[in-house]
Amino acid sequence: MSQRLVDRASSYLESRSSRRSFLMRTAVVGSALAAAPLQYLLKPGTAYAALCGPSASCSSGWTVFCCTINKGVNKCPPGTFVGGWWKIDSSPYCCSSGSPAARYIIDCQGKCKCTTGCSGSDHYCSSGCQTCRCRCGPSGQCDQRRACCNNFRYGQCHQEIRCGGAVACRVVTCTAPYRLYDECGSTNATDNRTRYHNAPCLNGPC
C-alpha cells in the first residue's frame, strides 16, 4: 500500500514541479509513509510534520533534537556537555542486517554559570545559573519540543560534573554512546516511548 501511495504522489507532483523539487517532495512523502504511515495517512497534516513523529509539540514535555536548534548538526551545542543516555529497542531509524536495531538518545545538559543550588543531593544549578533559557523549538520547524526546560539527568556520562543545567537538546546515534565517548558508562536505561520521535534534520527510516 505504501508503494502505491508513493507512486501516486510522485505522479501528481511530477506534473506540477521542477525535477529538483519533485525529487525532494517524493523523498519527504516516501519517508513519511515509511516512518509514520498511520499518522501521515489518517491524521491531518503534512508529510514534513509526520517526519517529526509523535509528541512533537512544545506542550508534550519532551526535549527538542539538537540538529533542530544547532544549525542542523547532530551534536551537543556549545555551552552543554554529554550528561547521559538511553536506549530505544527495535528502532525503525537504526538497522542491522536489514532489521530494526537499537537507537540511542544522548542528553546534552547545559553547563552552570555558578555552583549555587547544587548542595547535598541537588544536582541542578539554580535558575539564575542556567546557561540557556527554557523555550520551544524554532518556528517553522515541526520539531517544536522544548529546549533547556527539563531538569533531568540519567547520569552515565561526565560523572565528574556534579552540577548541571537543564537538558538543552538530544543527540541521536545508532552506536552505543559508551563506544563514542570515553566519558560515558555502559549502564543501560531503556525508554521505548520515544521510538518514533524524530526530526527532518535526522536520518529517515532504514
Side-chain angles (χ1 to χ4, degrees):
M1 181 182 72
S2 293
Q3 183 61 50
R4 288 198 305 271
L5 287 168
V6 171
D7 290 341
R8 288 183 184 178
S10 300
S11 299
Y12 175 81
L13 290 170
E14 188 172 25
S15 64
R16 294 163 174 80
S17 312
S18 67
R19 178 176 174 79
R20 179 178 177 82
S21 63
F22 160 70
L23 291 173
M24 290 177 64
R25 293 182 190 183
T26 302
V28 171
V29 170
S31 296
L33 286 169
L38 293 179
Q39 179 175 343
Y40 178 52
L41 295 174
L42 301 180
K43 296 181 180 180
T46 64
Y48 181 80
L51 290 178
C52 275
S55 305
S57 68
C58 192
S59 61
S60 69
W62 294 99
T63 299
V64 72
F65 286 103
C66 290
C67 64
T68 300
I69 63 172
N70 192 28
K71 300 178 181 178
V73 180
N74 183 36
K75 291 184 179 179
C76 289
T80 67
F81 65 94
V82 175
W85 60 271
W86 76 87
K87 183 182 76 166
I88 299 165
D89 294 320
S90 301
S91 169
Y93 300 102
C94 292
C95 285
S96 176
S97 301
S99 299
R103 190 189 200 199
Y104 301 90
I105 307 293
I106 299 168
D107 282 336
C108 300
Q109 313 282 153
K111 294 180 178 178
C112 299
K113 293 186 291 188
C114 51
T115 58
T116 58
C118 287
S119 59
S121 60
D122 188 359
H123 298 289
Y124 306 107
C125 47
S126 61
S127 58
C129 292
Q130 299 270 355
T131 53
C132 62
R133 61 179 178 81
C134 177
R135 62 193 189 279
C136 301
S139 60
Q141 297 271 0
C142 62
D143 182 11
Q144 284 288 304
R145 300 175 181 99
R146 307 163 82 190
C148 302
C149 298
N150 297 324
N151 282 308
F152 177 83
R153 185 175 176 183
Y154 277 111
Q156 306 102 316
C157 308
H158 278 297
Q159 293 186 353
E160 80 282 2
I161 303 178
R162 192 179 65 84
C163 187
V167 182
C169 58
R170 295 183 283 171
V171 168
V172 178
T173 176
C174 295
T175 302
Y178 55 84
R179 299 186 184 278
L180 299 174
Y181 302 96
D182 292 336
E183 304 85 358
C184 291
S186 59
T187 302
N188 181 48
T190 300
D191 190 343
N192 289 322
R193 293 176 298 167
T194 59
R195 176 174 284 135
Y196 299 106
H197 286 197
N198 208 44
C201 52
L202 295 172
N203 289 337
C206 301

